[in-house]
Amino acid sequence: MRVALIGPGDPAFYFSNVVKLPDYKDHLRRIASALKEHEIVLLPDKGVSLELAEIYKEMGGKRVIATAPLKDRVFGIAHLQPFLEGKPLFDEIIDTEDWFKQDHLHILFGDVVLVLGKSLGTMGELMYGTYLLNLLKKGRIKLSQINPHLRADENFQILVYKPFIKEGLDFEIERYLEHYNIPLKYVNAEELESF
């Protein structure tokens, strides 16, 4: 199984000022241990997902995949280069072409998505991806038409790591996910281990 990771890009701010969880790296170790038999996919940028991927790899995790907008000419990817070059962290890099496709498609490169906190970018990726997945389920688009590496299907689910959020997703968002038949589960490290 492949797990798409999304989460805040500024863990120091998020875990100190938003959820006030100073021991979040202990949680990352438990998550990494629970996921090490699965593949993970993430944007190769600073943030909680990258921190988790580094711990996961140190623990012998199966495979780390990056999705990156390598052809983007609007915003560019200079800030991603340090994470893409000179490090053996990534086993594969999938080109998403541009930032618009990256943000809309990222979670769909996984069989499930694991939400590691709620930030503006994280919620954008989650909302856009689930909206596109709903179009897929209605037969309006085919994943292969967009990118041959996309994996989400009718069994796709959203996992939200409970210790990294203050409250659940908004009531309205939960109702839409229910309407779209996209399972939503709030999990802790022990529940990830049995997933």
Side-chain angles (χ1 to χ4, degrees), residues 6-10 14 18 115-125 165:
I6 58 173
D10 185 350
Y14 185 78
V18 179
V115 181
L116 299 168
K118 295 192 301 185
S119 66
L120 299 176
T122 303
M123 297 312 293
E125 290 172 334
I165 60 171

Side-chain angles (χ1 to χ4, degrees), residues 70-83:
L70 301 177
K71 296 178 183 87
D72 187 82
R73 299 296 175 253
V74 177
F75 303 105
I77 62 164
H79 66 291
L80 300 183
Q81 292 301 336
F83 305 107

Side-chain angles (χ1 to χ4, degrees), residues 73-138:
R73 299 296 175 253
V74 177
F75 303 105
I77 62 164
H79 66 291
L80 300 183
Q81 292 301 336
F83 305 107
L84 291 170
E85 299 171 354
K87 284 189 174 183
L89 181 62
F90 299 105
D91 298 295
E92 179 182 358
I93 298 171
I94 298 171
D95 183 9
T96 57
E97 299 178 17
D98 61 48
W99 280 105
F100 304 105
K101 286 184 181 176
Q102 172 70 34
D103 290 343
H104 282 75
L105 299 175
H106 177 68
I107 69 168
L108 303 179
F109 286 97
D111 300 301
V112 301
V113 61
L114 177 59
V115 181
L116 299 168
K118 295 192 301 185
S119 66
L120 299 176
T122 303
M123 297 312 293
E125 290 172 334
L126 184 64
M127 297 305 101
Y128 285 130
T130 53
Y131 180 75
L132 286 175
L133 185 58
N134 183 51
L135 295 179
L136 167 73
K137 287 182 171 190
K138 290 182 175 182

